[in-house]
Amino acid sequence: MTTTLSQADVARLLTDPSQEARADTAAKLAEQVDAEGLTEAERQLAIDIVRVMAQDAAIRVREALSRNLKHSKHLPHDVAEALARDVEQVALPILEFSTILTEEDLIAIVRSSNGAKQTAIARRAAVSAKLADALIASKNPEAVATLVSNPGAQLADSQLTKVVDQFGDNAAVQSSLVRREKLPLTVAERLVAVVSENLRDYLVSHHELPPSVAVDLVLESRERATVSLLPHGSESVDVIQLCRQLKLHGRLTPSLLLRALCMGDVAFFESAMSVLARTPIVNARMLIHDDGTLGLKSLYLRSGLPERLYPAFRVAVDVVRENEFDARDEDRRRYICRMIERILTQFEDIGQDNLDYLLTKLNQYAA
């Protein structure tokens, strides 16, 4: 089958005016609208025939036109608009790809339609802020999830906040928000309270969060606040993967490790040291819990963490070895208070931010 319209195609159409023949002719005709080498008169003739075929009673014919004209630079605006307002089968290619439609056209269609048409518009290579407003106002979760995941969508912080307000409990929208390349800090903090455990890990790994929020998420989302929840022999693959992601995005910081260890999340500390020192998790655990003084230090020096903080980590690990605790809340509180008190009384040079965080936690648990 050739892609250009020939005399034979015209003859076939005259002898076989079936839907299939008309659809085949429509597709070939659409190809010629943007063909090079046409005179202005020839191109206008092709456009006039397209305008007639756009009114064909058969959906199959109009769909063939739409599919083949979606990238056309010469498609008349009135034909583009007619196809865009047609049934979904005809409209979707034009709505998603045609640059002939104006912003006003698209906003009007968003407001007058629903479902798949709105989602197709949300997939466009470029979505203006005004068009994004209309899509958010449509209250169509599928369209909004598609919009948020579209890197070509212009979305201001205020618009993303509105999405959280209106669709914060929708799993698809949550996932699109969390996986958006850049997420405002205020929006990331809002999402913390509503997303699933896996998405929380992604938030910590890929987006900027206040250090206090990040470490609390590491503890809370995985429910590993006690040493006993993960025995030394377990592989903790999920924790290691989280640490790898954090390292990849520059978020596996000394403060995060120290705070997590002080809050009793030894499993996270072990996995983080394994990743930073490029050491198997089993070996990292052996070095961390070595009865001597050299195991932890050798691992720490390989990790690249600042030497000035080593004494604080040494104190924390010593407290871990001295004070095992069970999963009871009151025991955990006593353990954390003891840990923080030892850090604060034996080591002062931990930085003001870490000091503030630990003092806040000490007050919370002591209360």
Side-chain angles (χ1 to χ4, degrees):
M1 183 183 293
T2 60
T3 58
T4 57
L5 193 64
S6 65
Q7 190 65 35
D9 293 315
V10 176
R12 177 192 174 199
L13 190 60
L14 292 173
T15 57
D16 177 20
S18 65
Q19 287 189 28
E20 181 180 355
R22 300 202 311 277
D24 185 26
T25 302
K28 292 180 178 180
L29 180 64
E31 291 283 338
Q32 289 196 329
V33 169
D34 288 307
E36 296 182 3
L38 291 184
T39 66
E40 189 59 33
E42 289 171 334
R43 194 181 311 279
Q44 188 57 53
L45 178 60
I47 289 172
D48 287 343
I49 300 174
V50 163
R51 185 174 277 112
V52 172
M53 298 195 81
Q55 301 176 30
D56 195 292
I59 292 177
R60 184 174 178 179
V61 175
R62 305 196 305 277
E63 182 187 3
L65 279 179
S66 177
R67 284 200 316 269
N68 290 277
L69 288 170
K70 62 187 179 185
H71 295 299
S72 173
K73 304 297 182 184
H74 295 92
L75 178 64
H77 178 266
D78 62 300
V79 177
E81 189 174 16
L83 293 173
R85 293 185 178 280
D86 209 322
V87 296
E88 289 180 0
Q89 191 174 339
V90 176
L92 299 187
I94 296 292
L95 289 173
E96 182 173 351
F97 297 105
S98 180
T99 58
I100 304 301
L101 296 172
T102 66
E103 180 183 65
E104 289 71 23
D105 294 332
L106 294 166
I107 290 174
I109 292 171
V110 167
R111 290 173 177 170
S112 62
S113 62
N114 51 42
K117 286 192 175 185
Q118 293 171 338
T119 303
I121 293 173
R123 281 196 298 267
R124 290 175 67 87
V127 179
S128 69
K130 286 180 64 176
L131 181 54
D133 268 338
L135 287 164
I136 294 170
S138 73
K139 301 188 184 301
N140 177 350
E142 182 181 356
V144 172
T146 302
L147 173 72
V148 172
S149 63
N150 182 355
Q154 297 179 24
L155 289 168
D157 292 4
S158 59
Q159 290 173 306
L160 290 170
T161 300
K162 186 182 296 184
V163 169
V164 176
D165 289 339
Q166 296 183 5
F167 304 93
D169 59 349
N170 182 278
V173 176
Q174 288 177 5
S175 180
S176 294
L177 279 167
V178 170
R179 289 183 167 82
R180 190 168 172 82
E181 183 178 358
K182 292 184 179 180
L183 200 61
L185 176 60
T186 52
V187 174
E189 287 188 90
R190 293 280 302 280
L191 285 172
V192 162
V194 296
V195 297
S196 66
E197 177 179 329
N198 289 339
L199 291 181
R200 283 186 177 186
D201 282 353
Y202 195 96
L203 269 174
V204 174
S205 303
H206 292 75
H207 295 289
E208 292 289 351
L209 287 171
S212 58
V213 174
V215 71
D216 287 347
L217 280 181
V218 167
L219 295 167
E220 177 187 336
S221 67
R222 297 180 300 104
E223 297 181 355
R224 292 195 181 95
T226 67
V227 177
S228 59
L229 287 180
L230 275 180
H232 293 332
S234 65
E235 286 300 319
S236 312
V237 176
D238 57 334
V239 191
I240 293 173
Q241 183 59 34
L242 172 61
C243 289
R244 285 173 179 161
Q245 286 295 320
L246 286 165
K247 182 176 183 290
L248 179 65
H249 294 275
R251 311 206 197 290
L252 198 58
T253 63
S255 289
L256 181 60
L257 269 66
L258 181 60
R259 296 177 188 190
L261 184 56
C262 286
M263 298 301 292
D265 197 342
V266 180
F268 177 80
F269 176 69
E270 293 169 343
S271 297
M273 293 301 290
S274 169
V275 169
L276 289 174
R278 296 183 295 279
T279 300
I281 183 65
V282 174
N283 293 353
R285 284 187 176 128
M286 289 177 61
L287 291 170
I288 290 170
H289 301 285
D290 182 19
D291 289 338
T293 60
L294 298 180
L296 175 63
K297 189 168 187 178
S298 64
L299 182 68
Y300 189 91
L301 292 176
R302 287 190 59 185
S303 71
L305 292 170
E307 289 190 41
R308 67 176 184 82
L309 287 178
Y310 171 72
F313 284 98
R314 177 74 266 176
V315 169
V317 171
D318 287 343
V319 174
V320 170
R321 292 170 56 189
E322 296 166 6
N323 299 277
E324 293 290 340
F325 67 98
D326 60 34
R328 293 177 300 172
D329 286 344
E330 62 273 16
D331 194 39
R332 176 172 177 260
R333 284 196 295 271
R334 286 194 298 270
Y335 172 88
I336 291 172
C337 287
R338 189 178 305 119
M339 172 80 79
I340 295 175
E341 287 170 353
R342 286 278 294 274
I343 293 289
L344 295 179
T345 55
Q346 297 188 29
F347 189 73
E348 298 177 356
D349 188 20
I350 57 174
Q352 189 62 47
D353 287 346
N354 289 329
L355 180 62
D356 291 343
Y357 176 83
L358 294 178
L359 285 172
T360 298
K361 290 300 180 182
L362 181 61
N363 291 332
Q364 288 175 353
Y365 284 100

